[in-house]
Amino acid sequence: MGSDKRSGTSDSAEIKQAKKEEAKKPSGKMQQKQKLSVLIEESQGSKAIQDMKAITIQGLARVVGVKISVANSYLRSLEVKGVVRSVGGYSGHRVYQLNQSS
């Protein structure tokens, strides 16, 4: 009876080992990274900014539903255009204010 139990556990150990080896093997096809470009539409971005009390990169990304890098580039482009201006913050955690003239 003792030998029956040991053979059952060795079978499961062999199965686990086989699964580990399969996981280590790279698949035949090499996957290429796709370059995705996500942009914030002007109407969607301006509406989100109008409703925000404090305009931050993180807040805009959360409201619009994009990555922080996309929100950062959008706010920087608005700053260059003069729509918003930086009023505070530090080291990438900037706080922006909507310009009164726009």
Side-chain angles (χ1 to χ4, degrees):
M1 286 190 143
S3 64
D4 290 340
K5 290 182 182 178
R6 279 186 255 153
S7 66
T9 58
S10 66
D11 288 339
S12 64
E14 290 175 4
I15 293 171
K16 288 180 183 177
Q17 184 65 26
K19 286 183 180 179
K20 285 182 183 179
E21 289 176 3
E22 288 177 12
K24 289 181 182 178
K25 293 180 184 177
S27 62
K29 297 180 182 177
M30 295 297 293
Q31 292 182 353
Q32 293 181 354
K33 290 186 178 181
Q34 293 180 352
K35 220 174 190 183
L36 299 175
S37 62
V38 178
L39 301 173
I40 299 175
E41 295 179 14
E42 286 291 324
S43 61
Q44 182 183 16
S46 63
K47 183 178 179 183
I49 288 175
Q50 295 289 332
D51 296 339
M52 294 176 74
K53 190 172 186 179
I55 303 169
T56 62
I57 298 166
Q58 292 81 6
L60 180 64
R62 185 177 49 248
V63 170
V64 179
V66 295
K67 290 186 176 185
I68 290 177
S69 59
V70 175
N72 187 24
S73 64
Y74 180 72
L75 280 176
R76 284 187 181 189
S77 69
L78 289 181
E79 188 175 20
V80 169
K81 292 177 185 176
V83 177
V84 296
R85 65 184 173 104
S86 179
V87 293
Y90 59 93
S91 179
H93 298 279
R94 299 276 177 221
V95 179
Y96 294 92
Q97 181 180 25
L98 199 60
N99 279 339
Q100 299 298 331
S101 62
S102 59

